[in-house]
Amino acid sequence: MRHIISILLENESGALSRVAGLFSARGYNIESLSVAPTEDPTLSRMTLVTTGNEAIVEQIKKQLNKLVDVIKLMDLTEGSHIEREMMLIKVTAKKSHREEFKRLADIFRANIIDVTSSSYVVELTGRSRKLDAFIAAVGFDHVIEVVRSGPTGISRGDKGLTL
Amino acid sequence: MRELAVELSGAEIVVRALKDEGVEYVFGYPGGAVLHLYDAIFQQQDVRHILVRHEQGATHAADGYARATGRPGVVLVTSGPGATNAVTGIATAYMDSIPMVVITGQVPSAVIGSDAFQEVDTVGITRPCVKHNFLVKRSEDIAEVVKKAFYVATTGRPGPVVIDIPKDITDPAVKIPYVYPDKVKMRSYKPVTEGHPGQIKRALEILLKAKRPVIYSGGGVVLGEASKELTTLVQETGIPITQTLMGLGSFPASDDHFIGMLGMHGSYESNMAMHETDVLLAIGARFDDRVTGKIANFCPHATIIHIDIDPASISKNVRVDVPIVGCVKTVLKELLKGLKASKKKISKDSLKDWWKQIDGWRDMKCMTYVHSDQVIKPQFAVETLHKVTDGDLYLTSDVGQHQMWAAQYYKFNKPRRWINSGGLGTMGFGLPAAMGVQLAHPDKTVGVISGEASILMCIQELATCMQYQLPLKIILLNNGYMGMVRQWQEFFYDSRYSHSYVDALPDFVKLAESFGHVGMQVENPADLEGAMQEAFAMQDRLVFMNVIVDPAENVYPMIEAGKGHHEMHLPPHLRAERELA
């Protein structure tokens, strides 16, 4: 099963490689990983997407907790949560397709943020599956380049993953 | 009132912080990146530096010191090759959860990343085999980092911590105020110590209902100083106890409740008891594959209770029914309190039928071997060693057949006496580890049991032993083979002994003598006891005993990798009996 693990860790050099190293050393899957400092510059927030059966995901969480740089973590998939990923996608937009892609962007609530005579860059945010659907709708033949952030997430309700 | 801060250089701060941490010995080897540190060491008397002959030896010596005392071992090596040579010893300590602080020199901050002379990414290389590591970026941080390193290394599940210090950080020309912190503040590191009361209660209820309980205890009992509590628990309840390789000595092997080591080379009775038990109480053990055998066949009838300080050890390999995360000593105390308060009691009497079954397995006498008056049997050599030393040695070991025979036949009655590399299985561990043990306990007799293949991996440390007058007693069980490799090749590769014969061996007697020690050679079983007595009588000399043993002997019982506890191979002379049993 797919799990989204949210981690609060010390914003120190090497903290990211401790997490990444743990996954490769123990043979865990890592689908995506996104990380940036929080409002408190000494803290980083990482969102990590992994897959595995219950026992493996349990081990992953315990091993992550064991890392000295990890302060707290939370398995977002255990509760109600919001998940967002951002994509920047560059598509060919020749005459015949320009209007259609513009409409498609509107339907997906995406923004066209760069325009040339033969291409668009589209910015799109949503659940990973929505981004997949946009790529499929554009058609692989028209895709020049895809850049995805990997999902980030936050739990619903008034409780947060804080110190 | 705090005294006014003194002004010290980075190098002086490192050494001073070690002193303030109560460090007696630093095991190390100098080099370019640590010259400032060595100069600071030269100018003080409090922290004693032991010069080894290879950085691997430094880490094993510090490790041996830690295992024998419970206090952290300290290592100082230079950058690049100094650090990489130390890695084997760091990984050894990591696998067995040994508290250790390793200080590595690094090239100056300004040239980090430029492939400078003797530069290596020490923090990167050691990351997977340390509990934590630090790269010190400012001299002002040294004291706090050292304090944190010792705190992390020694608390929770212990382990090695590396502090990588660039050369400029230790510059003797730059003096800054030094204050050693009293306390550590780490928001991200808070090890649990107390077990959950509800879980302890549940464990107690299950134990009280058990008909065929077994206690399986490991190195955590030694590390957690819980020998006394464990012994009380066993003696008050009469529950049979088996121990892992790392746990030996934390319960007296001479006690009748002890049913032997378990696992791949464990006793018949312990492995059969594991297979038949209905309640398994695992204490400070980590369900290692050498212990469990095939997971699917592991304790098929048991409810499993697991006490461990490391949450990640719980249900890692084997699913546990009642996990108790906490310090083994604290949890065992609570458990004992609960037992005392309980109306229902467990006693050897109430477990009569279970003990009858165990005694039946014991009657197999799986640890017997066929004596010879022509050739020294390695088992006989260990038994003789036990006899000559009254079972009171601090005994370190290398890795292989001799290690298993020592574990099986040298009955340890006290914790911290049996010192070996269990998890990583590091050949070359024994001799340097014994140096650390001897320095920690100058008045005790320290033995090294080794093989002719293992001993050569760190043989250079014989020079260190001479320099510091460490009167170790080395018992080399010389069978001319990497015995355990040879045994597996005999069993599983149709006796194709690929590269397991150790050709071109040195004359060990002359070798020992060339380092200034006493060398002895024993080949006849009748001479062995006398020779050992002679060796152990030389209290102020290192004696290297080259004991020529039967090259064909195998370690039994044996469970093949991937088989269950009930599928043991017994020694050849007992196989017919097992068919009958």
Side-chain angles (χ1 to χ4, degrees):
Chain A
M1 217 187 100
R2 180 169 176 268
H3 286 255
I4 304 173
I5 299 171
S6 213
I7 308 165
L8 206 57
L9 71 166
E10 296 288 354
N11 183 16
E12 275 179 24
S13 64
L16 172 63
S17 61
R18 286 181 212 280
V19 173
L22 170 70
F23 275 72
S24 62
R26 293 192 181 263
Y28 302 142
N29 296 314
I30 187 160
E31 269 186 17
S32 73
L33 191 155
S34 74
V35 59
T38 66
E39 83 285 3
D40 173 350
T42 67
L43 290 175
S44 280
R45 174 83 172 237
M46 179 184 282
T47 310
L48 194 149
V49 180
T50 182
T51 53
N53 63 35
E54 285 310 303
I56 289 172
V57 174
E58 195 55 42
Q59 250 316 290
I60 290 176
K61 288 188 255 177
K62 284 174 174 174
Q63 294 292 349
L64 282 170
N65 259 320
K66 222 171 122 170
L67 294 176
V68 169
D69 283 338
V70 169
I71 300 166
K72 264 185 190 172
L73 64 81
M74 183 180 182
D75 187 348
L76 289 179
T77 17
E78 272 177 358
S80 179
H81 67 283
I82 301 153
E83 175 191 338
R84 289 290 181 272
E85 182 175 1
M86 192 184 80
M87 174 167 74
L88 298 174
I89 178 169
K90 191 179 283 180
V91 295
T92 52
K94 300 264 167 57
K95 254 186 193 151
S96 53
H97 286 93
R98 288 183 88 83
E99 272 310 301
E100 189 192 335
F101 285 168
K102 171 83 177 66
R103 270 201 307 276
L104 212 52
D106 291 341
I107 293 167
F108 276 84
R109 273 177 249 133
N111 300 313
I112 296 173
I113 54 174
D114 185 62
V115 178
T116 70
S117 59
S118 60
S119 71
Y120 285 155
V121 171
V122 183
E123 173 199 349
L124 173 58
T125 306
R127 290 185 61 128
S128 302
R129 256 186 279 167
K130 176 179 164 185
L131 309 192
D132 297 340
F134 185 79
I135 297 171
V138 167
F140 290 106
D141 291 349
H142 297 287
V143 174
I144 298 171
E145 195 176 1
V146 171
V147 183
R148 297 172 69 150
S149 65
T152 58
I154 198 162
S155 62
R156 287 187 185 275
D158 59 1
K159 294 214 170 56
L161 183 65
T162 51
L163 275 185
Chain B
M1 272 281 283
R2 173 168 258 163
E3 58 186 296
L4 264 157
V6 281
E7 299 260 313
L8 299 173
S9 73
E12 288 164 339
I13 289 176
V14 173
V15 179
R16 181 66 183 274
L18 292 179
K19 180 199 162 199
D20 288 348
E21 198 55 52
V23 173
E24 276 182 288
Y25 291 108
V26 173
F27 301 88
Y29 202 102
V34 286
L35 281 172
H36 299 330
L37 281 165
Y38 270 84
D39 196 45
I41 284 179
F42 189 82
Q43 300 181 43
Q44 53 86 52
Q45 310 291 324
D46 302 307
V47 179
R48 211 177 144 203
H49 180 269
I50 303 296
L51 176 68
V52 294
R53 296 303 185 269
H54 185 288
E55 289 88 350
Q56 183 183 351
T59 47
H60 292 330
D63 182 327
Y65 176 90
R67 290 183 204 234
T69 60
R71 297 196 295 273
V74 181
V75 176
L76 173 59
V77 295
T78 193
S79 64
T84 55
N85 280 345
V87 167
T88 301
I90 296 170
T92 304
Y94 181 65
M95 283 291 268
D96 289 341
S97 309
I98 305 303
M100 200 153 95
V101 172
V102 181
I103 298 170
T104 55
Q106 184 54 275
V107 299
S109 309
V111 295
I112 286 183
S114 70
D115 301 319
F117 177 64
Q118 295 195 327
E119 178 184 1
V120 80
D121 174 12
T122 303
V123 167
I125 285 180
T126 57
R127 188 179 299 122
C129 60
V130 293
K131 187 169 170 188
H132 196 57
N133 56 21
F134 298 91
L135 173 66
V136 182
K137 294 192 174 140
R138 305 181 315 154
S139 309
E140 291 80 359
D141 296 341
I142 294 174
E144 196 192 333
V145 167
V146 171
K147 182 80 187 175
K148 278 184 182 171
F150 277 91
Y151 176 65
V152 171
T154 53
T155 51
R157 180 177 178 175
V161 174
V162 165
I163 308 175
D164 199 27
I165 311 182
K167 190 172 183 180
D168 52 307
I169 305 294
T170 57
D171 187 349
V174 182
K175 306 264 183 186
I176 54 167
Y178 166 80
V179 180
Y180 198 60
D182 300 329
K183 276 191 199 132
V184 184
K185 265 189 284 171
M186 291 180 81
R187 60 185 173 185
S188 61
Y189 176 75
K190 292 185 193 96
V192 178
T193 53
E194 312 255 324
H196 190 281
Q199 291 293 83
I200 295 175
K201 204 173 146 212
R202 255 180 82 202
L204 200 62
E205 281 162 9
I206 292 166
L207 268 181
L208 286 166
K209 273 187 235 152
K211 295 203 161 59
R212 300 185 307 279
V214 170
I215 291 174
Y216 140 59
S217 80
V221 176
V222 178
L223 297 165
E225 305 284 358
S227 242
K228 204 180 98 202
E229 290 75 14
L230 176 67
T231 308
T232 312
L233 177 70
V234 173
Q235 283 167 350
E236 283 189 1
T237 58
I239 299 176
I241 176 168
T242 178
Q243 292 190 312
T244 68
L245 181 69
M246 298 311 296
L248 297 177
S250 58
F251 181 85
S254 58
D255 188 298
D256 195 45
H257 294 91
F258 182 60
I259 57 173
M261 182 171 77
L262 82 163
M264 184 170 272
H265 294 298
S267 71
Y268 183 67
E269 50 271 33
S270 67
N271 285 333
M272 288 307 286
M274 290 294 281
H275 193 69
E276 297 295 334
T277 181
D278 64 345
V279 174
L280 181 71
L281 175 57
I283 309 173
R286 61 183 180 90
F287 297 82
D288 171 76
D289 58 281
R290 266 5 188 202
V291 160
T292 60
K294 187 178 176 181
I295 299 281
N297 291 349
F298 179 78
C299 297
H301 316 292
T303 303
I304 303 177
I305 304 163
H306 187 191
I307 307 171
D308 205 287
I309 197 152
D310 177 13
S313 274
I314 286 171
S315 294
K316 182 177 70 179
N317 300 336
V318 170
R319 214 185 58 78
V320 168
D321 301 288
V322 184
I324 306 174
V325 177
C327 174
V328 282
K329 193 183 180 81
T330 321
V331 175
L332 284 179
K333 270 187 184 160
E334 288 302 312
L335 204 59
L336 283 169
K337 232 188 267 174
L339 274 169
K340 209 167 193 182
S342 152
K343 276 186 204 126
K344 203 173 164 213
K345 299 283 170 203
I346 319 172
S347 68
K348 202 159 181 176
D349 220 33
S350 66
L351 302 172
K352 214 165 52 192
D353 291 344
W354 178 222
W355 271 108
K356 212 172 134 193
Q357 203 175 354
I358 290 171
D359 287 337
W361 293 320
R362 262 184 178 164
D363 287 342
M364 180 68 82
K365 302 201 182 307
C366 68
M367 291 296 167
T368 52
Y369 56 92
V370 181
H371 282 275
S372 163
D373 49 15
Q374 303 296 315
V375 56
I376 298 173
K377 292 285 181 177
Q379 301 95 324
F380 173 70
V382 178
E383 284 181 334
T384 308
L385 178 67
H386 187 272
K387 187 175 163 195
V388 169
T389 57
D390 290 328
D392 199 33
L393 273 185
Y394 280 82
L395 186 61
T396 73
S397 146
D398 274 305
V399 170
Q401 285 186 319
H402 66 269
Q403 178 189 25
M404 291 301 114
W405 284 315
Q408 291 174 333
Y409 294 93
Y410 199 98
K411 307 283 185 195
F412 293 92
N413 284 333
K414 292 177 192 161
R416 303 199 178 278
R417 294 305 183 103
W418 168 234
I419 287 164
N420 77 130
S421 166
L424 198 67
T426 309
M427 290 169 72
F429 175 81
L431 171 57
M435 303 190 311
V437 179
Q438 186 75 79
L439 284 162
H441 299 297
D443 304 330
K444 304 282 186 195
T445 312
V446 181
V448 180
I449 195 146
S450 187
E452 76 292 337
S454 281
I455 196 84
L456 285 176
M457 286 205 179
C458 278
I459 196 73
Q460 73 285 346
E461 299 306 332
L462 283 177
T464 311
C465 294
M466 194 61 206
Q467 182 173 347
Y468 298 98
Q469 293 292 307
L470 305 175
L472 307 178
K473 302 293 173 282
I474 300 172
I475 294 92
L476 190 75
L477 300 184
N478 186 341
N479 59 7
Y481 281 97
M482 290 160 214
M484 194 57 94
V485 175
R486 189 205 57 73
Q487 177 169 344
W488 282 56
Q489 288 171 336
E490 180 186 330
F491 289 0
F492 311 123
Y493 297 88
D494 291 328
S495 300
R496 288 186 300 279
Y497 297 131
S498 182
H499 297 269
S500 55
Y501 179 68
V502 191
D503 212 345
L505 282 172
D507 178 332
F508 283 109
V509 173
K510 281 191 188 154
L511 177 101
E513 286 169 356
S514 75
F515 279 97
H517 303 303
V518 179
M520 285 171 87
Q521 173 110 349
V522 195
E523 291 169 36
N524 191 330
D527 299 338
L528 185 60
E529 190 175 329
M532 279 188 180
Q533 269 161 352
E534 199 188 319
F536 281 92
M538 286 184 255
Q539 289 181 7
D540 53 352
R541 299 294 302 274
L542 184 149
V543 184
F544 192 121
M545 297 186 79
N546 185 26
V547 182
I548 308 298
V549 298
D550 186 350
E553 198 61 41
N554 288 323
V555 180
Y556 290 109
M558 178 174 179
I559 304 172
E560 288 176 34
K563 290 273 173 81
H565 279 151
H566 58 306
E567 300 171 285
M568 263 164 293
H569 291 292
L570 290 172
H573 70 278
L574 291 180
R575 275 181 206 155
E577 282 183 48
R578 189 181 184 190
E579 304 289 310
L580 297 173

